[in-house]
Amino acid sequence: MSKIDDLIHVYRDRIRVETNIRDMEIADMKRILNQDMFIGMEDKYSHLAKQIDEREKRITIMDYFIRELESLKER
């Protein structure tokens, strides 16, 4: 296996982990929104929204990086 293949494998695993964490954060956000008590919800909600946004950006960057590695591999 080449170094490019190793990198692709590592980044695919990382994307899988980041996606799972993002999905858990989305579930937490939904749980917060469904609670009867809204005290302190805004802080927790905005914090989770920022985390999800940052995680989504990292996933997009890693996905782009994988595509670049795959194009290098094809050459």
Side-chain angles (χ1 to χ4, degrees), residues 23-61:
D23 292 345
M24 288 187 299
E25 290 170 341
I26 289 171
D28 283 346
M29 187 180 294
K30 287 178 182 178
R31 182 185 48 77
I32 290 169
L33 290 173
N34 289 329
Q35 288 178 348
D36 292 335
M37 298 179 66
F38 293 110
I39 299 171
M41 180 189 84
E42 289 180 27
D43 292 336
K44 178 101 174 158
Y45 180 81
S46 63
H47 177 71
L48 277 171
K50 287 178 187 175
Q51 281 183 318
I52 291 168
D53 185 52
E54 288 299 315
R55 200 166 305 283
E56 198 64 44
K57 287 177 187 174
R58 286 194 300 266
I59 290 169
T60 301
I61 289 168

Side-chain angles (χ1 to χ4, degrees), residues 4 7-15 59-73:
I4 291 176
L7 281 172
I8 290 170
H9 179 72
V10 167
Y11 274 87
R12 281 195 178 136
D13 284 344
R14 180 69 186 193
I15 287 173
I59 290 169
T60 301
I61 289 168
M62 288 187 285
D63 189 45
Y64 176 79
F65 186 63
I66 286 175
R67 285 193 305 260
E68 289 296 315
L69 287 173
E70 289 172 338
S71 71
L72 283 174
K73 185 179 166 184

